[in-house]
Coordinates of all heavy atoms in Angstrom, one line a residue:
M1 N -22.0 8.7 8.7 CA -20.9 7.8 9.0 C -19.7 8.2 8.2 O -19.8 8.3 7.0 CB -21.2 6.4 8.8 CG -20.1 5.4 9.0 SD -20.4 3.7 8.5 CE -21.0 3.1 10.0
A2 N -18.6 8.4 8.8 CA -17.3 8.8 8.1 C -16.6 7.5 7.6 O -16.6 6.5 8.3 CB -16.4 9.6 9.0
R3 N -16.0 7.6 6.5 CA -15.2 6.5 6.0 C -13.7 6.8 6.1 O -13.3 8.0 6.0 CB -15.5 6.2 4.5 CG -16.9 5.8 4.3 CD -17.2 5.5 2.9 NE -16.6 4.2 2.6 CZ -16.7 3.6 1.4 NH1 -17.3 4.1 0.4 NH2 -16.1 2.4 1.2
V4 N -12.9 5.8 6.5 CA -11.5 6.0 6.8 C -10.7 5.1 5.9 O -11.0 3.9 5.8 CB -11.2 5.8 8.2 CG1 -9.7 5.9 8.5 CG2 -12.0 6.7 9.2
D5 N -9.8 5.6 5.1 CA -9.0 4.7 4.3 C -8.0 3.9 5.2 O -7.8 4.3 6.3 CB -8.3 5.4 3.1 CG -7.1 6.3 3.5 OD1 -6.5 6.1 4.5 OD2 -6.8 7.3 2.8
E6 N -7.4 2.9 4.6 CA -6.5 2.1 5.4 C -5.3 2.8 6.0 O -4.9 2.6 7.1 CB -5.9 0.9 4.5 CG -5.1 0.0 5.2 CD -4.6 -1.2 4.4 OE1 -4.9 -1.2 3.2 OE2 -3.8 -2.0 4.9
G7 N -4.7 3.8 5.3 CA -3.6 4.5 5.8 C -4.0 5.3 7.0 O -3.3 5.2 8.1
R8 N -5.1 6.0 7.0 CA -5.6 6.7 8.2 C -5.9 5.8 9.3 O -5.7 6.0 10.5 CB -6.7 7.6 7.8 CG -7.3 8.4 8.9 CD -6.2 9.5 9.5 NE -6.8 10.2 10.6 CZ -6.2 10.3 11.8 NH1 -5.0 9.8 12.0 NH2 -6.8 10.9 12.8
G9 N -6.6 4.7 9.0 CA -7.0 3.7 10.0 C -5.8 3.1 10.7 O -5.8 3.0 11.9
K10 N -4.7 2.9 10.0 CA -3.5 2.4 10.6 C -2.8 3.4 11.5 O -2.2 3.1 12.5 CB -2.5 1.8 9.6 CG -3.1 0.5 9.0 CD -2.1 -0.3 8.3 CE -2.8 -1.7 8.0 NZ -2.0 -2.5 7.2
E11 N -2.9 4.7 11.1 CA -2.4 5.8 12.0 C -3.2 5.8 13.3 O -2.5 5.9 14.4 CB -2.6 7.1 11.3 CG -1.7 7.3 10.1 CD -2.0 8.6 9.4 OE1 -2.8 9.4 9.8 OE2 -1.3 8.9 8.3
I12 N -4.5 5.6 13.2 CA -5.3 5.6 14.5 C -4.9 4.4 15.3 O -4.7 4.5 16.6 CB -6.8 5.6 14.1 CG1 -7.2 6.9 13.4 CG2 -7.6 5.3 15.3 CD1 -8.5 6.9 12.7
L13 N -4.7 3.2 14.7 CA -4.4 2.0 15.5 C -3.0 2.2 16.1 O -2.8 1.9 17.3 CB -4.4 0.8 14.6 CG -5.7 0.3 14.1 CD1 -5.5 -0.8 13.0 CD2 -6.6 -0.1 15.2
A14 N -2.0 2.7 15.4 CA -0.7 2.9 15.9 C -0.7 3.9 17.1 O 0.0 3.7 18.1 CB 0.2 3.4 14.8
A15 N -1.5 5.0 17.0 CA -1.6 6.0 18.1 C -2.2 5.3 19.3 O -1.9 5.8 20.4 CB -2.5 7.2 17.6
A16 N -3.0 4.3 19.2 CA -3.6 3.6 20.3 C -2.7 2.5 20.8 O -3.1 1.8 21.8 CB -4.9 3.0 19.9
G17 N -1.5 2.4 20.3 CA -0.5 1.4 20.8 C -0.6 0.0 20.1 O 0.0 -0.9 20.6
I18 N -1.4 -0.1 19.1 CA -1.6 -1.4 18.4 C -0.5 -1.5 17.4 O -0.3 -0.6 16.6 CB -3.0 -1.5 17.8 CG1 -4.0 -1.4 18.9 CG2 -3.1 -2.8 17.0 CD1 -5.5 -1.3 18.5
K19 N 0.2 -2.7 17.4 CA 1.2 -2.9 16.4 C 0.7 -3.1 15.0 O -0.2 -3.8 14.8 CB 2.0 -4.1 16.8 CG 3.3 -4.3 16.0 CD 4.1 -5.5 16.5 CE 5.3 -5.7 15.6 NZ 6.0 -6.9 15.9
I20 N 1.3 -2.4 14.1 CA 0.9 -2.5 12.7 C 2.2 -2.8 11.8 O 3.3 -2.5 12.3 CB 0.2 -1.2 12.2 CG1 1.2 0.0 12.3 CG2 -1.1 -0.9 12.9 CD1 0.7 1.3 11.5
P21 N 2.0 -3.3 10.6 CA 3.2 -3.5 9.8 C 3.9 -2.2 9.4 O 3.3 -1.2 9.3 CB 2.6 -4.1 8.5 CG 1.3 -4.6 8.9 CD 0.8 -3.7 10.0
R22 N 5.3 -2.3 9.3 CA 6.0 -1.2 8.9 C 5.7 -0.8 7.5 O 5.5 -1.7 6.7 CB 7.5 -1.5 9.0 CG 8.0 -1.7 10.4 CD 9.5 -2.0 10.5 NE 9.8 -3.2 9.7 CZ 10.8 -3.2 8.7 NH1 11.5 -2.1 8.4 NH2 11.0 -4.3 8.1
G23 N 5.7 0.5 7.2 CA 5.4 0.9 5.8 C 4.8 2.3 5.8 O 4.9 3.0 6.8
G24 N 4.3 2.7 4.7 CA 3.7 4.0 4.6 C 3.0 4.2 3.3 O 3.0 3.3 2.4
G25 N 2.5 5.4 3.1 CA 1.8 5.7 1.9 C 2.7 6.4 0.9 O 3.7 7.0 1.2
A26 N 2.3 6.2 -0.4 CA 3.1 6.8 -1.5 C 2.2 7.3 -2.6 O 1.2 6.6 -2.9 CB 4.1 5.8 -2.1
R27 N 2.5 8.5 -3.1 CA 1.7 9.0 -4.2 C 2.3 8.9 -5.6 O 1.7 9.2 -6.6 CB 1.4 10.5 -3.9 CG 0.5 10.7 -2.7 CD 0.0 12.1 -2.7 NE -0.9 12.3 -1.5 CZ -2.2 12.0 -1.5 NH1 -2.8 11.6 -2.6 NH2 -2.9 12.2 -0.5
T28 N 3.6 8.4 -5.6 CA 4.3 8.2 -6.9 C 4.9 6.8 -6.8 O 5.3 6.3 -5.8 CB 5.4 9.3 -7.1 OG1 6.4 9.1 -6.1 CG2 4.8 10.7 -7.0
P29 N 5.2 6.2 -8.0 CA 5.9 5.0 -8.1 C 7.3 5.1 -7.4 O 7.8 4.1 -6.8 CB 6.0 4.7 -9.6 CG 4.8 5.4 -10.2 CD 4.7 6.7 -9.3
E30 N 8.0 6.2 -7.6 CA 9.3 6.4 -7.1 C 9.3 6.3 -5.5 O 10.2 5.8 -4.9 CB 9.9 7.7 -7.6 CG 10.1 7.7 -9.1 CD 8.9 8.0 -9.9 OE1 7.9 8.5 -9.3 OE2 8.9 7.7 -11.1
A31 N 8.3 7.0 -5.0 CA 8.1 7.0 -3.5 C 7.8 5.6 -3.0 O 8.3 5.2 -1.9 CB 7.0 7.9 -3.1
A32 N 7.0 4.8 -3.8 CA 6.7 3.4 -3.4 C 8.0 2.6 -3.4 O 8.2 1.8 -2.5 CB 5.7 2.8 -4.3
R33 N 8.8 2.8 -4.4 CA 10.1 2.1 -4.5 C 11.0 2.4 -3.3 O 11.6 1.5 -2.7 CB 10.8 2.5 -5.8 CG 12.1 1.8 -6.0 CD 12.9 2.5 -7.2 NE 13.6 1.6 -8.0 CZ 14.5 0.7 -7.6 NH1 14.7 0.5 -6.4 NH2 15.2 0.0 -8.5
E34 N 11.1 3.7 -2.9 CA 11.9 4.0 -1.7 C 11.4 3.4 -0.5 O 12.2 2.9 0.3 CB 11.9 5.5 -1.6 CG 12.7 6.3 -2.6 CD 12.7 7.8 -2.4 OE1 12.5 8.2 -1.3 OE2 12.9 8.5 -3.4
L35 N 10.1 3.4 -0.3 CA 9.5 2.7 0.9 C 9.8 1.2 0.9 O 10.3 0.7 1.9 CB 8.0 2.9 0.9 CG 7.4 4.2 1.5 CD1 6.0 4.3 1.1 CD2 7.7 4.3 3.0
A36 N 9.7 0.5 -0.2 CA 9.9 -0.9 -0.3 C 11.4 -1.2 -0.1 O 11.8 -2.1 0.6 CB 9.5 -1.4 -1.7
A37 N 12.3 -0.3 -0.6 CA 13.7 -0.5 -0.4 C 14.1 -0.4 1.1 O 14.9 -1.2 1.6 CB 14.5 0.5 -1.2
G38 N 13.4 0.5 1.8 CA 13.7 0.7 3.2 C 13.2 -0.5 4.0 O 13.7 -0.7 5.1
L39 N 12.3 -1.3 3.5 CA 11.7 -2.4 4.3 C 12.7 -3.6 4.2 O 12.6 -4.5 5.0 CB 10.4 -2.8 3.8 CG 9.3 -1.8 4.0 CD1 8.0 -2.2 3.3 CD2 9.0 -1.5 5.4
R40 N 13.5 -3.6 3.2 CA 14.6 -4.7 3.0 C 14.0 -6.1 3.0 O 14.5 -6.9 3.8 CB 15.7 -4.5 4.1 CG 16.4 -3.2 3.9 CD 17.6 -3.2 4.8 NE 18.3 -2.0 4.6 CZ 18.9 -1.3 5.6 NH1 18.8 -1.7 6.8 NH2 19.5 -0.2 5.3
G41 N 13.0 -6.3 2.2 CA 12.4 -7.6 2.1 C 11.2 -7.6 1.3 O 10.8 -6.5 0.7
P42 N 10.4 -8.7 1.2 CA 9.2 -8.7 0.5 C 8.2 -7.7 1.0 O 8.2 -7.4 2.3 CB 8.7 -10.1 0.7 CG 9.8 -10.9 1.1 CD 10.7 -10.0 1.8
S43 N 7.4 -7.1 0.2 CA 6.4 -6.1 0.6 C 5.0 -6.4 -0.1 O 4.9 -7.2 -0.9 CB 6.9 -4.7 0.2 OG 7.0 -4.6 -1.2
V44 N 4.1 -5.6 0.4 CA 2.7 -5.7 -0.1 C 2.4 -4.2 -0.6 O 2.7 -3.3 0.1 CB 1.7 -6.1 0.9 CG1 0.3 -6.1 0.3 CG2 2.0 -7.4 1.6
V45 N 1.9 -4.1 -1.8 CA 1.5 -2.8 -2.4 C 0.0 -2.8 -2.5 O -0.5 -3.7 -3.2 CB 2.2 -2.6 -3.7 CG1 1.9 -1.2 -4.3 CG2 3.7 -2.7 -3.6
K46 N -0.7 -1.9 -1.9 CA -2.1 -1.9 -1.9 C -2.6 -0.5 -2.3 O -2.1 0.5 -1.9 CB -2.7 -2.1 -0.5 CG -2.2 -3.5 0.1 CD -2.8 -3.7 1.5 CE -1.8 -3.5 2.5 NZ -2.4 -3.8 3.9
A47 N -3.7 -0.5 -3.2 CA -4.3 0.7 -3.6 C -5.0 1.3 -2.4 O -5.7 0.6 -1.7 CB -5.3 0.4 -4.7
L48 N -4.8 2.6 -2.2 CA -5.6 3.3 -1.2 C -6.8 4.0 -1.9 O -6.6 5.0 -2.6 CB -4.7 4.4 -0.5 CG -3.7 3.8 0.5 CD1 -2.9 4.9 1.1 CD2 -4.3 2.9 1.5
A49 N -7.9 3.4 -1.8 CA -9.1 4.0 -2.4 C -10.3 3.5 -1.5 O -10.3 2.5 -1.0 CB -9.3 3.4 -3.8
L50 N -11.3 4.4 -1.4 CA -12.5 4.1 -0.6 C -13.5 3.3 -1.4 O -14.5 3.8 -1.8 CB -13.1 5.4 -0.1 CG -12.3 6.2 0.9 CD1 -12.9 7.6 1.2 CD2 -12.0 5.4 2.1
V51 N -13.1 2.1 -1.7 CA -13.9 1.1 -2.4 C -13.8 -0.2 -1.6 O -12.9 -0.5 -0.9 CB -13.5 0.9 -3.8 CG1 -13.6 2.2 -4.6 CG2 -12.1 0.4 -3.9
T52 N -14.8 -1.1 -1.9 CA -14.7 -2.4 -1.3 C -14.2 -3.4 -2.4 O -14.2 -3.1 -3.5 CB -16.1 -2.9 -0.9 OG1 -17.0 -2.9 -2.0 CG2 -16.7 -2.0 0.3
G53 N -13.6 -4.5 -1.9 CA -13.2 -5.5 -2.8 C -11.9 -5.2 -3.5 O -11.7 -5.5 -4.7
R54 N -10.9 -4.5 -2.8 CA -9.6 -4.2 -3.4 C -8.9 -5.5 -3.9 O -8.3 -5.5 -5.0 CB -8.8 -3.4 -2.5 CG -9.3 -2.0 -2.3 CD -8.4 -1.2 -1.3 NE -8.3 -1.9 0.0 CZ -7.4 -1.6 0.9 NH1 -6.4 -0.8 0.6 NH2 -7.4 -2.3 2.0
A55 N -8.9 -6.5 -3.1 CA -8.2 -7.7 -3.5 C -8.9 -8.3 -4.7 O -8.2 -8.8 -5.6 CB -8.2 -8.7 -2.3
A56 N -10.2 -8.4 -4.8 CA -10.9 -8.9 -5.9 C -10.6 -8.1 -7.2 O -10.6 -8.7 -8.3 CB -12.4 -9.0 -5.7
R57 N -10.3 -6.8 -7.1 CA -10.0 -6.0 -8.2 C -8.5 -6.1 -8.6 O -8.1 -5.5 -9.6 CB -10.2 -4.5 -7.9 CG -11.7 -4.2 -7.7 CD -11.8 -2.7 -7.3 NE -13.1 -2.3 -7.1 CZ -13.7 -1.2 -7.4 NH1 -13.0 -0.3 -8.1 NH2 -14.9 -0.9 -7.2
G58 N -7.7 -6.9 -7.8 CA -6.3 -7.0 -8.1 C -5.5 -5.8 -7.6 O -4.4 -5.5 -8.0
W59 N -6.1 -5.1 -6.6 CA -5.4 -3.9 -6.1 C -4.6 -4.2 -4.8 O -4.2 -3.2 -4.1 CB -6.5 -2.9 -5.8 CG -7.1 -2.2 -7.0 CD1 -6.8 -2.6 -8.3 CD2 -8.0 -1.2 -7.1 NE1 -7.5 -1.8 -9.2 CE2 -8.3 -0.9 -8.4 CE3 -8.7 -0.4 -6.1 CZ2 -9.2 0.1 -8.8 CZ3 -9.6 0.5 -6.5 CH2 -9.8 0.8 -7.9
V60 N -4.4 -5.4 -4.5 CA -3.5 -5.8 -3.4 C -2.5 -6.8 -4.0 O -2.8 -7.8 -4.5 CB -4.2 -6.5 -2.2 CG1 -3.2 -7.0 -1.2 CG2 -5.3 -5.6 -1.6
R61 N -1.2 -6.3 -4.1 CA -0.2 -7.1 -4.8 C 1.1 -7.3 -4.0 O 1.4 -6.5 -3.1 CB 0.2 -6.4 -6.1 CG -1.0 -6.1 -7.0 CD -0.6 -5.5 -8.2 NE -1.8 -5.2 -9.1 CZ -1.8 -4.6 -10.2 NH1 -0.6 -4.3 -10.7 NH2 -2.9 -4.4 -10.9
F62 N 1.7 -8.4 -4.2 CA 2.9 -8.8 -3.5 C 4.1 -8.5 -4.3 O 4.1 -8.8 -5.5 CB 2.9 -10.3 -3.1 CG 1.7 -10.6 -2.2 CD1 0.7 -11.3 -2.6 CD2 1.7 -10.2 -0.8 CE1 -0.4 -11.6 -1.8 CE2 0.6 -10.5 0.0 CZ -0.4 -11.2 -0.5
A63 N 5.2 -7.9 -3.7 CA 6.4 -7.6 -4.4 C 7.6 -8.2 -3.7 O 7.7 -8.2 -2.5 CB 6.6 -6.1 -4.4
A64 N 8.5 -8.8 -4.5 CA 9.6 -9.5 -3.9 C 10.7 -8.5 -3.6 O 11.6 -8.7 -2.7 CB 10.2 -10.5 -4.9
D65 N 10.7 -7.3 -4.3 CA 11.8 -6.3 -4.1 C 11.3 -5.0 -4.5 O 10.1 -4.8 -4.9 CB 13.0 -6.7 -5.0 CG 12.7 -6.9 -6.4 OD1 11.8 -6.2 -7.0 OD2 13.4 -7.7 -7.1
A66 N 12.1 -4.0 -4.4 CA 11.8 -2.6 -4.6 C 11.4 -2.3 -6.1 O 10.4 -1.6 -6.4 CB 12.9 -1.6 -4.2
D67 N 12.0 -3.0 -7.0 CA 11.7 -2.8 -8.5 C 10.3 -3.3 -8.7 O 9.5 -2.6 -9.4 CB 12.7 -3.6 -9.4 CG 14.1 -3.1 -9.4 OD1 14.2 -1.8 -9.1 OD2 15.0 -3.8 -9.6
E68 N 9.9 -4.4 -8.2 CA 8.6 -5.0 -8.4 C 7.5 -4.1 -7.7 O 6.4 -3.9 -8.2 CB 8.5 -6.4 -7.8 CG 7.3 -7.2 -8.3 CD 7.3 -8.6 -8.0 OE1 8.3 -9.1 -7.4 OE2 6.4 -9.3 -8.3
A69 N 7.9 -3.6 -6.5 CA 6.9 -2.6 -5.8 C 6.7 -1.4 -6.7 O 5.5 -1.0 -6.8 CB 7.5 -2.3 -4.5
E70 N 7.7 -0.9 -7.3 CA 7.5 0.3 -8.1 C 6.7 0.0 -9.3 O 5.8 0.8 -9.7 CB 8.9 0.8 -8.6 CG 8.8 2.0 -9.5 CD 10.2 2.6 -9.9 OE1 11.1 1.8 -10.0 OE2 10.3 3.8 -10.2
M71 N 6.9 -1.2 -9.9 CA 6.0 -1.6 -11.1 C 4.6 -1.7 -10.7 O 3.7 -1.2 -11.4 CB 6.5 -3.0 -11.6 CG 5.7 -3.5 -12.8 SD 6.1 -5.2 -13.2 CE 5.4 -6.1 -11.8
H72 N 4.3 -2.4 -9.5 CA 2.9 -2.5 -9.1 C 2.3 -1.1 -8.8 O 1.2 -0.9 -9.1 CB 2.8 -3.4 -7.8 CG 3.1 -4.8 -8.1 ND1 2.6 -5.5 -9.1 CD2 3.8 -5.7 -7.3 CE1 3.0 -6.8 -9.1 NE2 3.8 -6.9 -8.0
A73 N 3.1 -0.2 -8.2 CA 2.6 1.1 -7.8 C 2.2 1.9 -9.1 O 1.2 2.5 -9.2 CB 3.6 1.9 -7.0
T74 N 3.1 1.7 -10.2 CA 2.8 2.4 -11.4 C 1.5 1.9 -12.0 O 0.7 2.7 -12.4 CB 3.9 2.1 -12.4 OG1 5.2 2.6 -11.9 CG2 3.7 2.7 -13.8
E75 N 1.2 0.6 -12.0 CA 0.0 0.1 -12.5 C -1.2 0.5 -11.7 O -2.3 0.9 -12.2 CB 0.1 -1.4 -12.6 CG 1.1 -1.9 -13.6 CD 1.4 -3.4 -13.5 OE1 0.8 -4.1 -12.6 OE2 2.2 -3.9 -14.3
L76 N -1.1 0.5 -10.4 CA -2.2 0.8 -9.5 C -2.6 2.3 -9.6 O -3.7 2.7 -9.6 CB -1.9 0.4 -8.0 CG -1.9 -1.1 -7.8 CD1 -1.3 -1.4 -6.4 CD2 -3.2 -1.7 -8.0
L77 N -1.5 3.1 -9.6 CA -1.8 4.6 -9.7 C -2.4 5.0 -11.0 O -2.9 6.1 -11.1 CB -0.5 5.3 -9.4 CG 0.0 5.2 -7.9 CD1 1.4 5.7 -7.7 CD2 -1.0 6.0 -7.0
A78 N -2.4 4.2 -12.0 CA -3.0 4.5 -13.3 C -4.5 4.3 -13.2 O -5.2 4.8 -14.1 CB -2.4 3.6 -14.4
E79 N -5.0 3.7 -12.2 CA -6.4 3.5 -12.0 C -7.1 4.8 -11.6 O -6.5 5.5 -10.7 CB -6.7 2.4 -11.0 CG -6.3 1.0 -11.3 CD -7.1 0.4 -12.4 OE1 -8.3 0.8 -12.7 OE2 -6.6 -0.5 -13.1
P80 N -8.2 5.2 -12.2 CA -8.8 6.5 -11.9 C -9.1 6.7 -10.4 O -9.0 7.8 -9.9 CB -10.1 6.5 -12.7 CG -9.9 5.5 -13.8 CD -8.9 4.5 -13.2
E81 N -9.6 5.7 -9.7 CA -10.0 5.8 -8.3 C -8.8 5.9 -7.3 O -9.0 6.2 -6.2 CB -10.9 4.7 -7.9 CG -12.1 4.5 -8.7 CD -12.0 3.5 -9.8 OE1 -10.9 3.2 -10.2 OE2 -13.0 2.9 -10.2
V82 N -7.6 5.5 -7.8 CA -6.5 5.4 -6.9 C -5.6 6.6 -7.0 O -5.0 6.9 -8.0 CB -5.6 4.1 -7.3 CG1 -4.4 3.9 -6.4 CG2 -6.5 2.9 -7.2
K83 N -5.4 7.2 -5.8 CA -4.6 8.4 -5.7 C -3.3 8.2 -5.0 O -2.4 9.0 -5.1 CB -5.4 9.6 -5.0 CG -6.7 9.9 -5.7 CD -6.5 10.5 -7.1 CE -7.8 10.9 -7.6 NZ -8.1 10.4 -9.0
A84 N -3.2 7.0 -4.3 CA -2.0 6.7 -3.5 C -2.0 5.2 -3.3 O -3.1 4.5 -3.5 CB -2.0 7.4 -2.2
V85 N -0.9 4.7 -2.9 CA -0.7 3.3 -2.6 C -0.1 3.2 -1.2 O 0.5 4.1 -0.7 CB 0.1 2.5 -3.6 CG1 -0.5 2.4 -4.9 CG2 1.5 3.0 -3.7
R86 N -0.3 2.1 -0.5 CA 0.4 1.8 0.7 C 1.3 0.6 0.5 O 1.0 -0.4 0.0 CB -0.6 1.4 1.8 CG 0.0 1.2 3.2 CD -1.0 1.4 4.3 NE -0.3 1.2 5.6 CZ 0.2 2.2 6.2 NH1 0.2 3.5 5.8 NH2 0.9 2.0 7.4
V87 N 2.6 0.8 0.9 CA 3.6 -0.2 0.8 C 4.0 -0.6 2.2 O 4.4 0.2 3.1 CB 4.9 0.4 0.1 CG1 5.9 -0.7 0.0 CG2 4.5 0.9 -1.3
E88 N 3.8 -1.9 2.5 CA 4.1 -2.4 3.8 C 5.0 -3.7 3.8 O 5.0 -4.4 2.7 CB 2.8 -2.8 4.5 CG 1.9 -1.6 4.8 CD 0.6 -2.1 5.5 OE1 0.2 -3.2 5.4 OE2 0.1 -1.2 6.2
E89 N 5.6 -4.0 4.9 CA 6.3 -5.2 5.0 C 5.3 -6.4 4.9 O 4.2 -6.3 5.3 CB 7.1 -5.3 6.3 CG 6.2 -5.3 7.5 CD 7.0 -5.3 8.8 OE1 8.1 -5.9 8.9 OE2 6.5 -4.7 9.8
R90 N 5.7 -7.4 4.2 CA 4.9 -8.6 4.0 C 5.1 -9.5 5.3 O 6.2 -9.9 5.6 CB 5.2 -9.4 2.8 CG 4.3 -10.5 2.5 CD 4.5 -11.2 1.2 NE 3.6 -12.3 1.1 CZ 3.6 -13.1 0.0 NH1 4.4 -12.8 -1.0 NH2 2.8 -14.1 0.0
L91 N 4.0 -9.8 5.9 CA 4.0 -10.6 7.1 C 3.3 -11.9 6.8 O 2.4 -12.0 6.0 CB 3.3 -9.9 8.3 CG 3.9 -8.6 8.7 CD1 3.0 -7.9 9.7 CD2 5.3 -8.7 9.2
D92 N 3.6 -13.0 7.5 CA 2.9 -14.3 7.4 C 1.5 -14.2 7.9 O 1.2 -13.5 8.8 CB 3.7 -15.4 8.2 CG 5.0 -15.7 7.5 OD1 5.2 -15.5 6.3 OD2 5.9 -16.2 8.3

């Protein structure tokens, strides 16, 4: 059985015509900041790692602005298992 990370999973859903939150993946804190700034509002910064329990590990974080998104990305990317983060618009 193949495992698919959230970023790839959302690409598959979008290709099938399923609406997904605006956003994308980032490998650096600066790239996460740019993505968050482009969303022009609150965002969610999530670690992209093939592990379970990301929320329980504190790897799903809410950011009010681009500065906070960059800070969260810096902290998440410091984790050994995390090679990228996903920054998306925060939805209700």
Side-chain angles (χ1 to χ4, degrees):
M1 174 189 269
R3 294 184 76 177
V4 177
D5 74 25
E6 182 178 357
R8 179 66 182 128
K10 289 200 172 172
E11 289 173 4
I12 293 167
L13 292 172
I18 298 169
K19 188 177 176 184
I20 61 168
R22 293 179 303 126
R27 294 191 178 276
T28 67
E30 296 79 17
R33 182 188 214 313
E34 288 180 25
L35 280 167
L39 296 173
R40 296 187 178 142
S43 61
V44 182
V45 182
K46 301 183 255 184
L48 290 180
L50 293 175
V51 298
T52 58
R54 290 181 299 162
R57 292 178 184 221
W59 289 3
V60 177
R61 302 184 183 178
F62 299 107
D65 56 33
D67 291 333
E68 196 172 356
E70 181 178 25
M71 178 191 70
H72 290 317
T74 299
E75 293 168 358
L76 292 171
L77 289 166
E79 296 289 338
E81 303 97 334
V82 180
K83 304 295 183 227
V85 296
R86 184 158 182 89
V87 180
E88 295 180 336
E89 63 183 326
R90 183 173 178 179
L91 301 175
D92 291 334

